[in-house]
Amino acid sequence: MAIIPQLSLFAWEEIEELGDLERLRLVIEYMPDEQLMRVLEKERGKGRDDYPIRAMWNALLAGIVFQHDSDAKLLRELARNGQLRSLCGFNGKVPTPWAFSRFLHKVLMHQAEVEEMFDDLVRELKKIVPDFGKRLAIDSKAIKSYAAKKNKNEKEDGRRDLDADYGKKVYRGTREDGTRWEKIVKWFGYKLHLIVDASYELPIMFSVTKANVPDINEAHHLLEKMEERQPEILKKAEILTGDRGYDDSKLIINCWDQHAIKPVIDIRNMWKDGESTRLLNNKQNVTYNYKGNVFCHCPSTGIEREMACGGFDKDRNTIEPLPK
């Protein structure tokens, strides 16, 4: 039933060359949304059908494909673009802002059906994409709220976002000259937490939380959701990569001991004294850094060389020493 059958699944260059209408047509054709449509149509019953459920849903998808960041921009696009109205299923009549806002509110009441659509798409990818889910990555993204911020009374007035909260991310590093730098990013809104296939850069599991929820807390929740909703992918996974925000002993133990997934996660620098290396067991010429790298220093020349380990012994769950 594909409209453009000559396109291969991951020929992104061909997809990008298509116009917005053609991309929207593909989204509408392949979106597994029939169950959600039936639920919404049943709820409407024999009420007024000035704006059909399926047309409103297609318009919602169009706002994402056309990258409109507000309902008002989408409705203006519908008003001036007859081809878009026809593709969505409107019979020349553009929904009012109030009608579209009410429809969006109804969709938000059916989060379970929306998540099931997402899971269906992931399961389809698992069938047709080689090694899908073998290499995983986890991260979060800040999402700013366009609504007004909370007031002191925190009363719902239709303008304020009472579900959002304040978030902050701190980035630290070291410049080439050895000086430290720090960058703080603050926002009011939410966080999108994602586990994706690191090879194909496609999402596998997601959740949306208030902006102040720590990444590591939601990481445990995402793994629990994967175990419940996508157990085949979790069983197939070999590697989970993440930044230092996910450096947590419980998460690392959970990945390796419970799911046999190798956690490749950056290590947080917990050294507060500013040292770059420390002596290993009072040895005079062997040092290590906060990441666990071990170095040998030549007593004569002072040249530093990083020492290697002998690999990982899975049976003993430990690093092997180099043979003597």
Side-chain angles (χ1 to χ4, degrees), residues 45-282:
K46 297 182 180 180
R48 293 182 60 179
D49 197 26
D50 296 337
Y51 312 111
I53 290 293
R54 294 172 188 263
M56 296 287 276
W57 171 251
N58 291 340
L60 180 58
L61 297 178
I64 299 171
V65 173
F66 281 59
Q67 299 183 19
H68 291 307
D69 55 11
S70 69
D71 297 348
K73 291 182 180 179
L74 170 61
L75 295 178
R76 286 196 295 269
E77 179 79 21
L78 283 168
R80 64 172 176 261
N81 191 331
Q83 288 182 307
L84 177 60
R85 291 197 303 273
S86 178
L87 182 58
C88 290
F90 293 110
N91 189 20
K93 196 174 183 180
V94 178
T96 63
W98 179 86
F100 194 82
S101 177
R102 186 168 180 267
F103 173 77
L104 181 58
H105 178 74
K106 282 187 170 294
V107 171
L108 293 175
M109 300 300 291
H110 293 281
Q111 183 177 346
E113 286 81 1
V114 173
E115 289 197 4
E116 186 59 35
M117 289 164 49
F118 178 86
D119 290 340
D120 287 343
L121 291 170
V122 172
R123 283 189 284 266
E124 285 298 314
L125 286 172
K126 183 172 66 69
K127 294 177 183 177
I128 60 180
V129 179
D131 295 329
F132 183 70
K134 191 174 182 179
R135 296 174 177 269
L136 305 177
I138 186 170
D139 206 351
S140 69
K141 179 177 178 59
I143 301 178
K144 295 182 179 180
S145 174
Y146 288 96
K149 300 177 182 180
K150 294 181 179 180
N151 56 19
K152 293 182 178 180
N153 297 326
E154 296 192 358
K155 292 182 179 179
E156 187 172 356
D157 56 10
R159 297 179 296 110
R160 302 185 182 276
D161 192 339
L162 301 183
D163 294 324
D165 214 322
Y166 295 93
K168 181 177 75 172
K169 275 196 172 186
V170 181
Y171 302 90
R172 297 184 179 92
T174 305
R175 301 184 182 89
E176 293 183 358
D177 60 3
T179 58
R180 304 279 294 176
W181 61 267
E182 180 178 277
K183 179 182 178 181
I184 299 177
V185 178
K186 298 180 180 180
W187 75 99
F188 176 77
Y190 303 88
K191 268 187 187 179
L192 171 63
H193 304 266
L194 283 168
I195 292 181
V196 304
D197 181 286
S199 300
Y200 297 102
E201 300 182 2
L202 291 170
I204 293 176
M205 193 59 58
F206 77 96
S207 66
V208 179
T209 66
K210 294 183 178 183
N212 61 345
V213 173
D215 291 350
I216 187 58
N217 291 11
E218 197 60 22
H220 291 283
H221 179 228
L222 286 176
L223 285 178
E224 291 173 358
K225 285 184 66 175
M226 278 194 69
E227 192 169 9
E228 176 186 352
R229 306 177 75 96
Q230 301 290 351
E232 301 88 354
I233 294 180
L234 190 61
K235 186 176 180 180
K236 183 181 181 180
E238 295 182 357
I239 293 175
L240 175 68
T241 61
D243 59 30
R244 65 190 65 181
Y246 299 95
D247 180 19
D248 174 71
S249 299
K250 291 182 179 179
L251 179 64
I252 293 171
I253 292 172
N254 186 20
C255 286
W256 179 247
D257 291 355
Q258 301 299 323
H259 306 293
I261 298 175
K262 299 174 184 175
V264 184
I265 297 173
D266 197 9
I267 300 174
R268 290 178 293 167
N269 187 356
M270 305 302 291
W271 292 3
K272 304 301 182 182
D273 52 13
E275 291 182 330
S276 58
T277 59
R278 295 175 179 175
L279 286 176
L280 178 64
N281 296 333
N282 296 322

